[in-house]
Amino acid sequence: MKRLLLFSLMACVLQMVHATEKTIQSPQGNIVVQVSDENGSPAYKVQLNGVEFLKSSPLGVKLNCADLTKGLSLTDCQVKTVSDEYDLKTIKQSHVVYNATEAVCSFDKDGKKAMDVVFRLTERDVAFKYHIYPKRGTLAAVVEGEASGFVFPENTTTFLCPQSKPMGGFARTSPSYETSYSLDEPMGKNGWGEGYSFPCLFKNADKGWILVSETGTDGAYVACRLLNENANAYKIGFPQAGEMNGAGTTTAAVSLPFDTPWRTITIGTTLAPIVETTVANDLVKPKYAPSKDYTYGKGTWSWIIGMDSSCNFDEQKRYIDFAAAMGYRSVLIDALWDQQIGYDRMEQLAEYGRSKGVGIFLWYNSNGQWNDAPQSPRDKMDKSAPRRKEMAWMQKNGILGIKVDFFGGDKQQMMQLYEDILTDANDFGIQVIFHGCTLPRGWERMYPNYVASEAVLASENLHFGQGACDAEATNAAIHPFIRNTVGSMDFGGSTLNKRYNADNKSGTYRRTSDVFALATAVLFQSSVQHFALAPNNLEDAPQWAVQFMKDVPVNWDEVKFIDGYPGKYIIMARKSAGKWYVAGVNAQDQAVKQKISLPMFAKNVQLTAYTDDKDLNGACNTIKLKKGEFAVEMPKNGAFLLVGQAE
Ligand code: CA
């Protein structure tokens, strides 16, 4: 007994002595991560320019065959520099040059190599994933959960949207990442009891900002959420048991060796690194080659103004004419087209569109058996044989893409469905937009025919309720800082109708200005945009507004954060084809009045300026900047927009 006690004491001392800590730095040394194994539990902490952004936070995974969260010792961190360069038309930046520090930190358990934590550090992003080794001939394992945590400094505040409980909301379709944000709230809550949807924004008091998300998730894993454990400690959560009506697992079945998706942490003293980060796509690789040279563009969409009854032949023909008049590439034909138009007449519509140079996107229900969403076409997208038959029909008729709706949560089985739809669609040259869905996690680069996802309280809510219209500016001043920073966002906005109805005389009231509608076409990024414009806008909207909506690009070369605060106002700039578009919107009662410096424009260049007066009356003028500065004046629900040649 005495000997045993002595032995345990010695083991304890040995472990304490052997607690190892390794320090990793970003290429220029701004970000420092310390990795340790104190008491056998792997952990990391993050500093930016010597300031603490994450306190010691746990790492590790729990498998059904091994607990890789404790009893581990850090043996080594192999550090090297990695570089990559890629072109991607579907994200905020068309050409990305990536340089990072990679550190492979190896952990032993019971004297054997058990797991590597692979870190990547740039000057704005920290990311890590787990590489799990096979264990004594065990190749099939189940990942039951992760210890991966994020412990924030005291006084951090949160900008988060709660994850819905499963099988709630419209036709039991939740969770589908369609909840409202709480802004600047203290830490310590857990949403509505089920944590928060990614991406999650935190403010490190007056020291800076932190965005936590994940990327590289596909059918080999589950999509995760962020759970609050207590006070300032948050951790990765797996899907909820009730998703998919209780079918499917909350765990991930994997084949060893296995690499998990990446956990990403983007940090900065301002919001610029978060608005400008490309981390979601930097860390992934294409999963297949594009079957054709996919193109991108703008389109019209009757459903947002005209709802279900507008999905008929005559109205869609009118929207094709409208798209042609705008010089747009497509129309999106929403739910019930199979009943209200039918397949034969859809072929006629496709042919008519072709004669006008306008292609078609078609809506589909993802079901399946995971919720009650009744809209048809159903049962065409959930299984390979009918899906491929449908897609062959689309290809024959030149259909450009699909919008698939009403998915069933984040379980591995559902992540596999997203991947299967994308993979099959590529075989037939079809682009894919998801709605009622999860957040995309690096999918623009992983799947070359992927376009965008909803995963936001999108424009439909402006039609459904006045509350969403009243809060439109607040939300527009949130999404470019949070949801849209990590993935393309199919919002379906830029309404020029005064009311959300085809007669433009009934329905909810738009509170925002015409310039606001134009500004969000720049602020919200997606390479295929189906705007909430209506044919009557050719006559009843200002000519300058219609002209801008004809001209606005959908593919961007660069993005720059200028100023703003989530939920209050935003000013940012995007560049396309040698022109900068500087856009701002204001949600506060107080007008935003400030001078901004705009060195991105060529000297003495003439700019087109779209501005609002205090009553939200828009105007379009040609101006020249004085000393490279512009005096912003944005009333509540108003906006401004400057367009001009780049330096
Ligand atoms: Ca939706």
Side-chain angles (χ1 to χ4, degrees):
M1 188 64 199
K2 246 186 184 168
R3 273 179 63 183
L4 188 70
L5 195 72
L6 194 70
F7 185 77
S8 331
L9 242 156
M10 270 175 61
C12 214
V13 169
L14 269 174
Q15 200 162 51
M16 277 165 68
V17 169
H18 281 187
T20 307
E21 188 168 88
K22 303 270 184 193
T23 300
I24 317 160
Q25 289 190 6
S26 59
Q28 289 163 40
N30 295 318
I31 293 185
V32 171
V33 171
Q34 279 162 310
V35 189
S36 70
D37 63 355
E38 211 174 311
N39 303 321
S41 294
Y44 72 112
K45 51 188 170 191
V46 178
Q47 289 186 348
L48 170 66
N49 301 324
V51 177
E52 178 180 68
F53 271 68
L54 281 184
K55 301 168 90 73
S56 183
S57 305
L59 294 165
V61 285
K62 209 163 172 204
L63 307 179
N64 62 341
C65 56
D67 184 351
L68 305 181
T69 65
K70 53 190 178 199
L72 297 172
S73 50
L74 174 60
T75 57
D76 186 28
C77 278
Q78 289 283 336
V79 179
K80 63 173 181 182
T81 306
V82 292
S83 307
D84 190 16
E85 208 170 328
Y86 61 93
D87 293 310
L88 200 52
K89 288 178 186 161
T90 46
I91 63 167
K92 64 181 94 169
Q93 189 174 327
S94 61
H95 182 75
V96 178
V97 178
Y98 175 73
N99 289 302
T101 302
E102 181 178 277
V104 179
C105 298
S106 299
F107 289 85
D108 277 8
K109 182 160 186 168
D110 305 328
K112 285 210 176 77
K113 212 170 192 183
M115 155 181 102
D116 297 331
V117 184
V118 181
F119 284 92
R120 286 281 187 91
L121 274 62
T122 68
E123 304 314 319
R124 62 188 178 199
D125 308 297
V126 174
F128 64 86
K129 67 173 178 179
Y130 304 102
H131 176 81
I132 305 162
Y133 289 92
K135 195 176 154 55
R136 270 188 244 106
T138 302
L139 298 183
V142 174
V143 182
E144 294 174 339
E146 291 188 19
S148 315
F150 311 88
V151 181
F152 296 94
E154 282 72 30
N155 302 319
T156 295
T157 56
T158 71
F159 300 72
L160 303 171
C161 61
Q163 183 90 346
S164 304
K165 287 192 188 300
M167 306 306 288
F170 170 74
R172 299 198 295 164
T173 54
S174 71
S176 47
Y177 291 58
E178 295 172 291
T179 64
S180 289
Y181 286 83
S182 296
L183 303 172
D184 244 336
E185 287 219 328
M187 298 182 289
K189 287 185 195 164
N190 193 34
W192 300 334
E194 297 298 343
Y196 300 96
S197 304
F198 286 125
C200 297
L201 181 66
F202 296 85
K203 183 166 181 270
N204 185 7
D206 57 357
K207 301 182 192 78
W209 298 85
I210 311 164
L211 187 83
V212 178
S213 194
E214 59 177 11
T215 191
T217 310
D218 59 15
Y221 211 67
V222 292
C224 297
R225 58 201 156 116
L226 194 67
L227 301 175
N228 181 263
E229 281 208 291
N230 60 68
N232 57 339
Y234 292 76
K235 66 173 281 192
I236 290 289
F238 273 23
Q240 304 169 68
E243 291 173 22
M244 292 178 75
N245 215 2
T249 58
T250 62
T251 54
V254 302
S255 161
L256 301 181
F258 181 74
D259 282 51
T260 65
W262 294 90
R263 316 285 155 222
T264 65
I265 304 144
T266 302
I267 59 180
T269 53
T270 72
L271 285 157
I274 288 166
V275 170
E276 296 165 15
T277 184
T278 51
V279 68
N281 287 289
D282 295 341
L283 296 168
V284 301
K285 290 273 186 260
K287 299 193 71 149
Y288 48 73
S291 66
K292 70 177 196 194
D293 192 6
Y294 289 104
T295 59
Y296 307 94
K298 303 181 287 277
T300 62
W301 176 37
S302 74
W303 184 88
I304 185 62
I305 300 293
M307 297 268 121
D308 289 353
S309 66
S310 74
C311 296
N312 65 69
F313 185 90
D314 291 342
E315 191 63 357
Q316 294 312 315
K317 200 162 166 246
R318 197 165 79 98
Y319 266 77
I320 289 172
D321 292 341
F322 176 42
M326 294 297 288
Y328 284 3
R329 164 180 175 261
S330 60
V331 289
L332 165 61
I333 304 182
D334 220 280
L336 305 173
W337 60 265
D338 58 323
Q339 298 177 46
Q340 297 176 178
I341 298 172
Y343 281 79
D344 290 348
R345 300 197 81 205
M346 186 54 78
E347 292 178 9
Q348 289 174 33
L349 263 185
E351 204 179 309
Y352 180 71
R354 218 165 14 252
S355 76
K356 296 266 176 176
V358 176
I360 290 176
F361 271 70
L362 286 179
W363 186 95
Y364 283 88
N365 191 328
S366 69
N367 270 303
Q369 72 279 27
W370 32 88
N371 58 49
D372 305 324
Q375 285 89 341
S376 63
R378 282 173 60 97
D379 309 311
K380 301 281 189 191
M381 285 294 139
D382 61 312
K383 302 226 165 35
S384 189
R387 182 168 62 228
R388 292 182 68 87
K389 191 177 163 210
E390 193 79 358
M391 288 173 173
W393 170 80
M394 289 180 214
Q395 187 179 41
K396 191 166 146 255
N397 289 286
I399 301 299
L400 286 177
I402 50 176
K403 168 185 171 179
V404 190
D405 207 337
F406 298 132
F407 284 84
D410 286 343
K411 289 179 176 176
Q412 184 176 22
Q413 292 80 358
M414 195 53 54
M415 302 317 291
Q416 188 64 55
L417 178 65
Y418 286 107
E419 181 162 16
D420 290 348
I421 291 172
L422 286 159
T423 309
D424 279 348
N426 183 57
D427 288 348
F428 297 95
I430 306 282
Q431 291 179 316
V432 181
I433 295 169
F434 293 123
H435 261 242
C437 58
T438 196
L439 181 77
R441 289 155 165 94
W443 293 359
E444 294 90 345
R445 194 171 177 200
M446 288 159 71
Y447 308 106
N449 57 325
Y450 168 80
V451 172
S453 300
E454 184 181 33
V456 67
L457 271 176
S459 62
E460 60 195 27
N461 297 284
L462 302 168
H463 193 129
F464 295 152
Q466 189 58 47
C469 290
D470 297 345
E472 187 187 1
T474 303
N475 288 316
I478 294 173
H479 302 320
F481 291 126
I482 306 180
R483 162 65 182 85
N484 212 178
T485 61
V486 296
S488 301
M489 181 173 82
D490 192 48
F491 189 84
S494 294
T495 313
L496 288 173
N497 262 24
K498 304 277 182 216
R499 310 280 298 267
Y500 281 87
N501 198 288
D503 63 12
N504 206 4
K505 290 188 183 107
S506 53
T508 51
Y509 291 86
R510 177 164 62 95
R511 300 296 193 204
T512 53
S513 72
D514 291 340
V515 179
F516 180 101
L518 313 191
T520 55
V522 174
L523 294 175
F524 297 168
Q525 180 268 323
S526 168
S527 59
V528 173
Q529 294 261 25
H530 290 109
F531 293 119
L533 302 172
N536 50 285
N537 297 148
L538 291 172
E539 280 83 46
D540 60 16
Q543 198 274 326
W544 50 262
V546 173
Q547 188 60 46
F548 180 86
M549 293 308 297
K550 288 181 180 176
D551 297 340
V552 64
V554 292
N555 298 118
W556 301 101
D557 297 324
E558 253 182 271
V559 57
K560 265 191 180 20
F561 166 78
I562 296 175
D563 199 6
Y565 194 93
K568 294 183 177 175
Y569 72 104
I570 180 161
I571 304 172
M572 63 188 269
R574 293 191 195 274
K575 186 185 182 190
S576 179
K579 277 186 182 173
W580 278 102
Y581 294 70
V582 179
V585 299
N586 178 29
Q588 305 161 104
D589 291 338
Q590 277 271 325
V592 170
K593 288 187 188 179
Q594 68 182 74
K595 270 202 173 138
I596 54 170
S597 175
L598 299 169
M600 69 271 286
F601 287 117
K603 292 226 160 36
N604 295 317
V605 74
Q606 290 215 317
L607 303 182
T608 312
Y610 304 81
T611 51
D612 279 324
D613 70 12
K614 63 179 181 15
D615 301 315
L616 299 179
N617 296 308
C620 173
N621 293 293
T622 303
I623 63 157
K624 270 192 174 180
L625 295 184
K626 281 183 194 139
K627 294 182 195 162
E629 287 183 333
F630 179 73
V632 175
E633 269 206 62
M634 292 190 286
K636 182 185 170 78
N637 292 326
F640 82 97
L641 192 52
L642 301 173
V643 185
Q645 215 57 45
E647 171 76 322

